[in-house]
Amino acid sequence: MITIKSLKGMNDILPKKSVIWQYIENKIKMILYQHLYLEIRTPIIEQTNLFTISLGQTTDIIKKEMYTFKDKKQKQLTLRPENTTSIIRSILENHMTNQTQKVWYVGPMFRYENPQNGRFRQFHQFGVESFNKHGPEMDSEIIIMTNRIFKALGVQKYLHLEINSLGSKTSRRLYTNILFKYLKKFKNYLDSNLIYKMYKNPLRLLDTKVKNITYIVTHTPNILDYIDQKSIKHFEYLKKILNYTNIKYKINKNLVRGLDYYSRTVFEWKTKALGSQNTICAGGRYDYLLKFFNCKKTPAIGCAIGLERTILLLKTTNKLPTNMKIKSHVCFITISNKKTIIIKSIKLLEFLRNELPNLIIQNTFCDTSFKKNIYKAKKNNINILLIYGENEVQKNKVSIKDLYKKTQNLLALKPLINTLKSIFYYESNYYNNW
Ligand code: ATP
Ligand code: MG
């Protein structure tokens, strides 16, 4: 017998867990709609070029993390490692770059990484992107919105915001040269991988996790001393807005982000609660990226929240709602094995679901004895049973049994609907809003 298992670093989200995912996703979606961001869905596979052109040759994603393969016509394809570039591809292809666009997405991303706590090969991101807004007000909108999201999820106090500015393309080049000269002095302390990065893209060393060069990295020249005047103004204005709106932040001069396409503002929401997988949300401006694809300069900014890490944070800090199980309101029991009665009961169920769309009805399909059904209902905290059998069919009524009040009544359909409405009015509204 062959046993087939899921791939390393790729997880099933089982029914008990998916309610948690839905809870978090719904909270985030509500906030995004409140800010009039609309959903965009792009395919999870793209031409490999899309990523190699835009993400940067020395980034971890391009160097070692991409899931790339050839299709039957030998086309080189890649499972998306992130979604910003796919969205750019989409808005260019659909001629949407002339107006302001504010979009959000949620879905799986794929990176060939070493799976560990908070790091997987298939993981999920919730992200937003905004196009055609160049001012720092836009940067602040996204940062403030993410703050609101974490507040709504109850984990804001376990997170802190780090911000930095990478300046314009020209000033970044200037800084890169200065950084290179500085790092070269310490060449003997760097391993071959770091030396490669130092020559190819010295910025990549700034946020390295290699421990024994911490001293070198913390004493690098400060990028903020080298960025251009316009970027300084942009950054100062952003800080002013954040101060005014009481969003606390820390400036991290070594925050450069893992991808090459960023300019000006970059930011991360980090936590101390999860060990080394400490970044929950990361983003920044990418005003030059659309030019890579022969589009006019289009200012843009976005960020992505890692959902697995968000869930882990909620779990670690006890912020997951305790009763996440979707509970049935009533249990419907057919007490007959006769086909004619079973068919009638299925029709009746359809009628009930039409009349009471918010009512969650557990149908037992007469799969066990009446006694066992009652036992099961009690175990699942269901107090109301709807019973349908020979007697009920004859009278064209339904029995309603209340296990809590210990009552049983035979009701015609109209009074039955009214009774159920009066019992479940509040709860059905609750489920509607969930
Ligand atoms: P890291 O430094 O942890 O590798 P990154 O810079 O590669 O993160 P981004 O590409 O900025 O991450 O993605 C944004 C967010 O997506 C991260 O902050 C994290 O929450 C989540 N994320 C990234 N890679 C993974 C992964 N392999 N598994 C789970 N979540 C991930
Ligand atoms: Mg990474």
Side-chain angles (χ1 to χ4, degrees), residues 70-82:
K70 284 185 175 151
D71 73 1
K72 286 182 183 161
K73 291 204 168 144
Q74 303 304 305
K75 250 195 181 159
Q76 197 81 31
L77 306 178
T78 295
L79 289 176
R80 63 179 184 197
E82 56 106 56

Side-chain angles (χ1 to χ4, degrees), residues 60-61 65 111 113 119:
D60 284 347
I61 292 184
E65 293 173 0
R111 296 185 194 174
E113 302 206 63
R119 192 176 293 285

